[in-house]
Amino acid sequence: MIRLGFNRAVRIAAISTMALAAAACTTATGGSGAMASSVGVPAEDFDYAAWDGYLGGGHSAQYSALDQVNRSNVNQLAVAWTYETGAGQAPLFNPTVGGGRMYVQNGQGKLVALDPATGRELWVSNLEGRVGSRGVNYWESADGREGRLMVLNNGILRAVDAATGQMIPGFGTNGGVDLRDALPRDIAMPANPLMTNNPGRIYGNTIIMSLPAGAYDYASAPANIHAYDVITGELKWTFNVIPREGEFGYDTWPETEDRAQFGGVHNWSESTVDTELGIVFIPTGTPRYDFYGGNREGDNLFGNSIVALDANTGERIWHFQTVHHDLWDFDLPVAPKLMTITRNGQRIPIVIQVSKQGYVFTFDRRTGEPIWPIEEVAVPASDVPGEHASPTQPVPTWPLPYMRMEFTEDDINPYLPEADQEALRNSLRNEWRNDGIFTPPSLRGSISMPGHNGGANWGNVSVDPERQRLYIVSRELPLLLKINPDNRPEALEAMPNAQEDNIPYRWPVNFMLQSNGMVAIKPPFSNLTAYDMNTGERIYHIPNGEIMTLEAQGITGVGAQTPRSGPVATAGGLLFVNTASDRALRARDADTGAVLWEHRFDAATEGVPAVYMVDGVQYITVPVGGVGHFLGGLGLPEPGASRYVTFALPRGGN
């Protein structure tokens, strides 16, 4: 029998104690300071001038220390070169630069090496099958004589020679490591190789890989964290995201004979490594099944948690669960962000975890102690038979959320056809459950705002660690969670810990896109929010981008629809932000958000730009192509060619 009451009482008492201790040293309006750990403050000597990994490097900062392009000259930026990726998928891949080459992905999903100063193609990889679409990491030997790209290829981890694009046959067995080989034998073993777009993180001569769940169903594999030797492919350590017997958190899951069939808890998105402290920060996802958990009574660690692991051993240092017993798919899709702030005269190394819900969780990254109090807040109960929704959820008291958290009649999009608006009004009044951000899924339908595709998502968050700034691009996208019982015998058989009162439920996707292709909620459809993390105060909160079809009607200032934008901050005082529904890349003043320069493309731009320097010239490369996420019904013009577009100042223009 699971000890729910005891676990929850301990959790609430612990957080309340931290909140009381922190409240004693309040120095900022709405915020409280926390005592710094006695452990020394790291120097944070990260290489912010290179761009040798996804999001800029293992630090995940999406920040460049380069300042050749700055506020005074950014309006002179011009296209330096382009590289067309060809037919196939539009590029989302964040370019990586290392060993004198840039690594991108073409339309067929193959890795390509380019001359980063000219865009000239140097090689195309011979790997067959899928390669992760968001980015890659570059490793270089201590003597600089060998470079490798660590790649997940159809679920097989491979090392690729960065100079030639050829698979290195001596890595693993016959040139690869099947990630399934290190999984426990008693789990719901995936029949197919485990493939994810998360490129992992390199720490010294170790590649740390986050496994996917393997199946979108009640019974699926646990998405464990594995570490492998970069040279040999030898397994170094494993962390079980669903605790095994004897491990911390085991009692937050039901004790049942088919316990090993519980799965999910996947870090499908991004992770961050602090190379100085030797800590890898893993933001995890939702236990399966995402929208009904009657069979998995309990808090379900380490679901929906930021987990700090010893990067050398895989041992848990600390964790914090941001959603208990998740029913909303409120996984943590954003890489944790690192910086050192000053609070009450003390320098504190922090880690920032931004969530889909609109919250900014902030911790001392050495200990997991919250910088500002986090309260357990009472939330609505579930009315679905057999469900065991948590009675409370953790909510940061500071900083303020970066987006709206409700969708009411007053929030209906005025640019929808009147028939659509009336249908929404009627359903909001008479049909759907709508009790705030943690309204549980229901049989009649529940509003989830922000939904699991709203808030912040992969690549949407940047920091300036030198000035202690946090920048967030948000997506405003309400969701309807209406679950239906699945009475098929095979569905019940596949459900771990099935009982008479917890039959399987399924959820048809409903992102509430309307007949004209627009979201249901009124503008702004996207915002750009900046925070000073020394105080937690907002610096600005402004609409981010436009929608081309509304611009044609003279309607502006609404924000882009559902952007998958990858903001990048620079030491030149700039913030580069791309948006798809207006096909734009903008350079903003990082202090104010004001647009200083803008370039329009003939296709969407999604994913994260890269900022780098070659032969004394600073370049900015951005992926361009396709229509964009959730934008197919807007009536946008047919997109132009998929390509990477690179900008630089004219020679002598700095």
Side-chain angles (χ1 to χ4, degrees):
M1 191 71 177
I2 194 163
R3 294 172 293 177
L4 289 176
F6 174 77
N7 290 338
R8 186 156 292 124
V10 169
R11 181 181 71 239
I12 294 173
I15 292 177
S16 297
T17 299
M18 287 188 287
L20 288 171
C25 48
T26 300
T27 58
T29 303
S32 301
M35 296 297 291
S37 167
S38 59
V39 179
V41 177
E44 290 194 4
D45 190 22
F46 302 131
D47 186 358
Y48 292 122
W51 204 276
D52 60 357
Y54 175 59
L55 308 183
H59 49 72
S60 300
Q62 294 173 236
Y63 170 77
S64 172
L66 303 179
D67 63 0
Q68 183 183 91
V69 180
N70 53 57
R71 294 186 186 98
S72 69
N73 60 20
V74 68
N75 62 350
Q76 301 176 46
L77 276 182
V79 174
W81 58 261
T82 64
Y83 174 78
E84 292 198 9
T85 58
Q89 64 190 27
L92 299 170
F93 197 91
N94 176 216
T96 292
V97 180
R101 292 168 290 271
M102 171 184 283
Y103 311 98
V104 298
Q105 192 175 48
N106 67 17
Q108 289 71 54
K110 291 186 177 295
L111 290 176
V112 179
L114 307 175
D115 181 326
T118 67
R120 179 174 62 90
E121 186 176 282
L122 303 176
W123 55 251
V124 178
S125 75
N126 62 351
L127 296 180
E128 295 296 329
R130 181 179 163 194
V131 172
S133 64
R134 289 204 296 272
V136 71
N137 296 300
Y138 173 81
W139 171 90
E140 191 170 88
S141 61
D143 60 10
R145 300 175 71 175
E146 181 186 5
R148 294 187 174 196
L149 302 175
M150 303 308 298
V151 178
L152 192 61
N153 170 219
N154 272 358
I156 306 298
L157 181 63
R158 302 193 188 281
V160 172
D161 187 325
T164 66
Q166 300 296 307
M167 179 184 73
I168 298 175
F171 179 83
T173 302
N174 299 321
V177 176
D178 190 326
L179 298 183
R180 294 173 296 179
D181 290 347
L183 287 170
R185 296 295 97 186
D186 59 347
I187 65 157
M189 184 61 66
N192 299 312
L194 292 169
M195 190 61 206
T196 174
N197 289 321
N198 185 338
R201 280 301 178 205
I202 289 175
Y203 171 70
N205 290 337
T206 300
I207 175 75
I208 300 171
M209 295 297 298
S210 300
L211 277 61
Y216 191 66
D217 212 333
Y218 287 92
S220 63
N224 290 343
I225 315 301
H226 292 176
Y228 297 92
D229 188 290
V230 167
I231 304 299
T232 67
E234 180 184 358
L235 180 71
K236 290 188 171 184
W237 56 256
T238 292
F239 177 78
N240 296 314
V241 296
I242 298 178
R244 310 284 289 181
E245 187 169 6
E247 295 179 341
F248 184 92
Y250 179 83
D251 62 352
T252 66
W253 293 80
E255 187 61 63
T256 173
E257 62 181 15
D258 51 0
R259 176 192 168 91
Q261 306 307 299
F262 289 122
V265 191
H266 53 326
N267 169 224
W268 61 268
S269 53
E270 306 167 341
S271 59
T272 299
V273 64
D274 183 331
T275 52
E276 186 172 356
L277 290 180
I279 301 175
V280 59
F281 296 96
I282 305 289
T284 64
T286 307
R288 295 292 193 238
Y289 185 62
D290 295 34
F291 306 103
Y292 177 76
N295 65 316
R296 54 176 169 87
E297 182 178 7
D299 284 348
N300 307 147
L301 287 177
F302 290 95
N304 307 85
S305 301
I306 175 172
V307 185
L309 303 179
D310 185 319
N312 295 289
T313 67
E315 295 180 78
R316 181 185 64 91
I317 299 172
W318 61 265
H319 78 278
F320 185 88
Q321 188 174 53
T322 59
V323 180
H324 313 312
H325 190 83
D326 186 16
L327 301 174
W328 305 269
D329 194 19
F330 280 159
D331 54 47
L332 293 171
V334 177
K337 305 294 177 175
L338 312 178
M339 67 173 67
T340 295
I341 63 171
T342 301
R343 298 282 294 146
N344 304 320
Q346 294 180 315
R347 295 179 66 242
I348 306 173
I350 65 170
V351 58
I352 306 163
Q353 182 64 68
V354 175
S355 77
K356 286 181 178 178
Q357 303 98 288
Y359 296 139
V360 178
F361 293 90
T362 314
F363 308 93
D364 185 319
R365 69 176 182 264
R366 301 163 295 185
T367 65
E369 182 179 9
I371 300 302
W372 292 282
I374 300 171
E375 296 179 348
E376 287 291 329
V377 174
V379 296
S382 174
D383 56 10
V384 175
E387 185 56 87
H388 309 282
S390 174
T392 65
Q393 294 292 347
V395 175
T397 59
W398 197 254
L400 294 175
Y402 58 83
M403 66 177 300
R404 291 173 287 184
M405 295 182 172
E406 65 176 9
F407 175 55
T408 69
E409 290 183 60
D410 293 336
D411 300 307
I412 293 173
N413 186 350
Y415 303 118
L416 301 178
E418 182 53 41
D420 288 3
Q421 295 186 49
E422 182 55 34
L424 286 168
R425 278 191 290 270
N426 180 64
S427 293
L428 285 165
R429 288 174 186 170
N430 304 314
E431 183 179 356
W432 298 330
R433 187 173 178 185
N434 193 11
D435 302 323
I437 185 172
F438 288 109
T439 305
S442 63
L443 298 175
R444 60 187 168 116
S446 296
I447 292 295
S448 180
M449 177 62 198
H452 68 74
N453 254 274
N457 217 293
W458 60 268
N460 285 169
V461 179
S462 171
V463 291
D464 181 338
E466 300 301 318
R467 297 197 295 167
Q468 295 81 50
R469 300 279 178 83
L470 172 70
Y471 304 99
I472 303 171
V473 169
S474 59
R475 298 154 55 99
E476 311 271 333
L477 183 64
L479 187 72
L480 183 65
L481 288 176
K482 185 175 183 178
I483 59 175
N484 305 306
D486 185 350
N487 295 307
R488 296 174 302 145
E490 58 268 32
L492 189 63
E493 183 179 353
M495 183 185 195
N497 195 36
Q499 305 290 336
E500 185 176 344
D501 65 341
N502 54 33
I503 63 171
Y505 287 85
R506 302 291 173 179
W507 172 75
V509 175
N510 189 343
F511 294 109
M512 302 179 69
L513 297 177
Q514 302 298 299
S515 63
N516 64 353
M518 297 190 72
V519 296
I521 199 167
K522 69 183 181 183
F525 306 120
S526 170
N527 282 300
L528 173 64
T529 307
Y531 294 91
D532 178 343
M533 292 308 296
N534 290 298
T535 64
E537 298 278 359
R538 279 186 190 172
I539 303 171
Y540 51 83
H541 179 70
I542 56 177
N544 173 50
E546 307 290 353
I547 298 177
M548 291 177 68
T549 47
L550 291 184
E551 282 186 297
Q553 303 172 48
I555 301 169
T556 59
V558 298
Q561 179 163 303
T562 57
R564 291 195 288 194
S565 303
V568 174
T570 76
L574 300 173
L575 189 65
F576 288 96
V577 188
N578 52 334
T579 43
S581 62
D582 56 6
R583 302 178 173 179
L585 173 66
R586 295 180 176 87
R588 295 180 180 269
D589 186 319
D591 288 344
T592 66
V595 176
L596 303 178
W597 170 86
E598 177 179 305
H599 183 92
R600 294 289 182 114
F601 304 100
D602 60 358
T605 169
E606 301 183 303
V608 183
V611 179
Y612 61 96
M613 182 168 279
V614 178
D615 296 331
V617 178
Q618 180 179 340
Y619 296 92
I620 300 96
T621 299
V622 60
V624 176
V627 175
H629 201 217
F630 291 127
L631 304 181
L634 288 178
L636 301 176
E638 283 296 308
S642 293
R643 61 202 187 275
Y644 287 90
V645 181
T646 298
F647 299 89
L649 295 173
R651 294 290 180 174
N654 60 341

